[in-house]
Amino acid sequence: MTTLTKTERGTVSVRNLSKSFQLNGERLDVLKKLNITLEGGKVLAIVGPSGCGKTTLLRVLAGLENPDSGDVTIDSKEVQGLSRERAVIFQEPRLLPWLSVLDNVSFGLEVQGTPKETARASAKKMLKLVRLSQFEQAWPKQLSGGMAQRVGIARALAVQPEILLLDEPLGALDAMSKISMQEELTRIWQEQNVTMILVTHDLEEAIYLADQVLVMSKLNGTSPRLLDIDLPRPRDRSHQDFVAIRQKLMTEFGLH
Amino acid sequence: MSTAIKNTVRLRWYKTGTLAAQNGLWRHRILNFLAVYGLLIVFFSSWQIASTQGWINSAVIPPLDRILSALWLGITSGALLDDIAISLQRAGIAFLASAGIGIPLGLIMGRIRPLERALDPILQLFRQTSALALYPIFILLLGLGEASKVFVIFWAALFPVLLATIGGVKEVDAKLLEMARTYGASPLTIFRRVVLPASIPSIFVGLRISATTALLLLIAAEMIGANKGMGFQVMNAQYNFQIPMMYAAIFLLAFWGILANLILVKLQRRLCRWSA
């Protein structure tokens, strides 16, 4: 076995992944023989209308739900259930209200058995990364939505995952915080060199952040397609190439 | 010279300024105090005046000073000390036992659904049966001594803390549990680091109701079958027409209730600074 270099770490491949649910006695094929390959250190955005199965896909990738068939491999290792190389960021920050910001960030490391002092030292570094060092001793409820989400991101990064799974992480933020958080996410991603898979319903967000966009359509519609975004970073939302891609995606969803 | 004057003037202005601010602060404090305790002061003042003036029968409702001197005499002469000690012991042991059994049992029942479902009907039956109605049975089983008294208090005080704990555990945000799971936390770690801290506010609500219930049952049990204790003293004083003493005992009991609640509230604030 060769050791993987940093950029090769976190390569995700999804093969023939299927998942269905029973709803009122009817079978709903949410994911049907899905295939994706994502290079390590890249960003994949999953977009699509509500109920198209994008969150289900992310939960399967996270190991929170099991697929009916097919498999997910990370760095050529098949993954089943939850594991440490993947960290999940949800739409809500899901901070523990009884822990200080610092203790929240070290929580993931501590439950994984890192000694408290070491965990705290790493947590401090991560809080610095998300620019919240001066809030170490604050309670979660004293933070704004965007700050709380940054604490959640710091907690996820503290465990040094190979893959960061984000389920509409900026969905609950106002338009202004959203844009600044998209810039933050890009910066953090560049500094951490981590593979990111992100579910979003915001096309602009997908184009701004991702190297590849997985376009999912309504259930039982056409099969998902992968779209490459080859724009240099930092991306300019008003650049003609950016606008052209957005236009193309909007047309795919019938939004002219 | 002129600067010195200016400085003095400024200093004086500054001083009066703070004085005014301090006056304002005191005014605010006094008004705040009156807003909270005003009605209580009116109530006790009316009582005292109405009783001394003979507007109400002072043999039935004696003035406060006579009640307080009866209380003082009872404590300093040592006549009440035995009763106070035995009552505090009964309520204390029963309350601690109810917390010691109710909290762990509630935590387990809240986490293990099949157990909760199996135990719930019988708990509801026991809870809805008045503890005092069961007291004769406890006396038959445990005798007329301390055991049956402590047990009936324990029995009644158990249910509030037990049910509040179960409720608290069941209401823990499933999203937080899932978050902990994604970091690979074991069920035991999740219990210790998520379920337990999240349930503390509910547990304290239960503990406060249990403390009140314990004092309630203490008096009832001591009125029914005891020859010592504050509940016995209330009845005994009434039989012997020592009315100030009767009120003194009632006041003392009320004071215990307030004190128990205050201690639990302080403890809760300390443990739950994050929710303040």
Side-chain angles (χ1 to χ4, degrees):
Chain A
M1 280 256 110
T2 53
T3 47
L4 297 163
T5 64
K6 203 168 184 196
T7 44
E8 284 171 321
R9 271 178 79 230
T11 298
V12 182
S13 87
V14 172
R15 278 196 304 254
N16 289 325
L17 196 74
S18 296
K19 172 92 182 163
S20 63
F21 289 109
Q22 292 290 330
L23 191 73
N24 303 328
E26 252 181 277
R27 207 177 105 122
L28 275 180
D29 289 311
V30 183
L31 305 172
K32 224 158 139 187
K33 291 200 180 291
L34 186 71
N35 288 288
I36 312 167
T37 307
L38 182 67
E39 271 177 62
K42 297 275 183 182
V43 183
L44 171 74
I46 306 168
V47 297
S50 309
C52 69
K54 49 189 196 298
T55 290
T56 304
L57 173 58
L58 196 85
R59 290 178 66 85
V60 170
L61 291 174
L64 284 166
E65 274 171 50
N66 293 320
D68 298 340
S69 62
D71 55 66
V72 177
T73 58
I74 292 170
D75 299 333
S76 321
K77 268 183 303 177
E78 188 173 340
V79 291
Q80 263 169 347
L82 295 154
S83 68
R84 289 181 185 190
E85 68 267 16
R86 287 160 294 161
V88 189
I89 290 165
F90 301 93
Q91 180 168 357
E92 328 77 27
R94 302 198 185 183
L95 303 179
L96 299 172
W98 51 87
L99 295 183
S100 69
V101 163
L102 182 65
D103 288 341
N104 262 292
V105 177
S106 66
F107 176 82
L109 282 169
E110 282 174 35
V111 303
Q112 292 182 2
T114 309
K116 199 163 179 128
E117 287 315 304
T118 323
R120 284 199 162 189
S122 310
K124 281 187 181 184
K125 272 185 215 152
M126 287 305 144
L127 276 175
K128 203 169 174 184
L129 176 76
V130 298
R131 303 183 211 249
L132 284 175
S133 285
Q134 71 270 45
F135 290 95
E136 277 178 8
Q137 295 312 319
W139 299 113
K141 66 164 199 169
Q142 295 172 305
L143 306 177
S144 71
M147 281 156 74
Q149 193 58 293
R150 267 144 72 197
V151 174
I153 292 167
R155 176 177 61 193
L157 289 171
V159 300
Q160 294 190 296
E162 287 169 37
I163 295 156
L164 206 54
L165 300 157
L166 305 99
D167 187 6
E168 301 196 24
L170 313 181
L173 301 182
D174 59 271
M176 300 268 266
S177 332
K178 207 168 176 174
I179 287 175
S180 78
M181 281 294 287
Q182 287 164 2
E183 288 164 9
E184 281 287 291
L185 269 179
T186 305
R187 181 181 63 81
I188 289 165
W189 167 77
Q190 281 170 333
E191 282 183 31
Q192 295 293 301
N193 204 355
V194 65
T195 307
M196 290 205 315
I197 299 177
L198 150 104
V199 162
T200 178
H201 54 250
D202 182 338
L203 296 180
E204 193 174 285
E205 183 169 292
I207 304 163
Y208 186 82
L209 292 171
D211 297 296
Q212 285 185 306
V213 177
L214 182 74
V215 184
M216 294 178 76
S217 53
K218 281 221 171 67
L219 282 187
N220 303 323
T222 52
S223 53
R225 297 193 318 101
L226 267 178
L227 187 78
D228 288 319
I229 315 266
D230 279 326
L231 298 176
R233 290 185 172 91
R235 289 173 178 169
D236 175 1
R237 289 162 218 269
S238 56
H239 192 277
Q240 55 180 20
D241 294 343
F242 194 104
V243 176
I245 295 172
R246 189 174 58 198
Q247 211 59 43
K248 194 174 153 203
L249 272 174
M250 283 174 85
T251 316
E252 294 224 9
F253 290 113
L255 300 165
H256 50 258
Chain B
M1 180 68 194
S2 69
T3 21
I5 291 172
K6 237 187 224 165
N7 277 346
T8 332
V9 170
R10 194 174 290 160
L11 196 66
R12 188 172 296 154
W13 175 84
Y14 173 74
K15 272 187 177 164
T16 46
T18 44
L19 211 62
Q22 270 177 356
N23 276 341
L25 191 68
W26 278 109
R27 226 177 112 99
H28 177 77
R29 278 187 187 162
I30 289 164
L31 283 176
N32 215 20
F33 180 82
L34 284 178
V36 178
Y37 297 105
L39 269 178
L40 204 63
I41 293 166
V42 170
F43 172 71
F44 282 124
S45 315
S46 322
W47 179 338
Q48 176 70 17
I49 294 164
S51 185
T52 46
Q53 295 298 311
W55 300 339
I56 49 173
N57 187 350
S58 64
V60 179
I61 305 179
L64 291 170
D65 61 290
R66 277 178 57 203
I67 296 169
L68 291 176
S69 64
L71 182 62
W72 179 250
L73 201 69
I75 292 171
T76 49
S77 70
L80 277 181
L81 289 182
D82 274 358
D83 299 292
I84 291 172
I86 193 83
S87 285
L88 284 179
Q89 185 188 320
R90 285 168 184 155
I93 291 173
F95 173 72
L96 290 178
S98 73
I101 291 173
I103 295 171
L105 186 62
L107 290 172
I108 294 167
M109 282 178 65
R111 275 309 266 174
I112 304 172
R113 279 301 143 83
L115 188 69
E116 197 238 335
R117 279 174 50 192
L119 282 175
D120 189 59
I122 196 160
L123 282 178
Q124 293 298 338
L125 176 71
F126 285 165
R127 185 172 78 108
Q128 299 300 341
T129 313
S130 163
L132 280 175
L134 297 174
Y135 190 29
I137 303 173
F138 299 150
I139 291 175
L140 285 176
L141 289 171
L142 300 166
L144 256 170
E146 287 306 299
S148 62
K149 288 182 193 64
V150 171
F151 194 80
V152 73
I153 301 167
F154 157 76
W155 184 261
L158 175 67
F159 294 103
V161 65
L162 175 63
L163 295 172
T165 306
I166 295 172
V169 171
K170 280 166 72 179
E171 274 164 35
V172 176
D173 190 351
K175 291 180 166 173
L176 292 182
L177 300 176
E178 188 181 65
M179 180 280 294
R181 222 153 50 82
T182 63
Y183 286 100
S186 66
L188 197 68
T189 306
I190 290 178
F191 180 79
R192 196 170 56 85
R193 299 220 45 187
V194 183
V195 176
L196 199 58
S199 311
I200 283 178
S202 304
I203 292 175
F204 268 95
V205 171
L207 281 177
R208 284 163 64 185
I209 303 173
S210 281
T212 309
T213 310
L215 285 173
L216 196 79
L217 264 285
L218 169 78
I219 306 315
E222 287 181 343
M223 281 179 170
I224 295 168
N227 49 20
K228 254 197 288 181
M230 292 312 290
F232 165 76
Q233 278 304 335
V234 173
M235 286 312 265
N236 193 47
Q238 193 234 356
Y239 287 146
N240 298 324
F241 220 68
Q242 300 169 309
I243 302 304
M245 179 53 120
M246 183 186 80
Y247 278 97
I250 293 171
F251 272 133
L252 195 64
L253 288 165
F255 171 71
W256 286 351
I258 292 167
L259 191 68
N261 196 52
L262 199 73
I263 291 170
L264 285 169
V265 168
K266 287 262 187 243
L267 195 63
Q268 178 180 13
R269 290 229 178 101
R270 221 194 155 95
L271 285 171
C272 305
R273 269 175 303 150
W274 50 275
S275 68

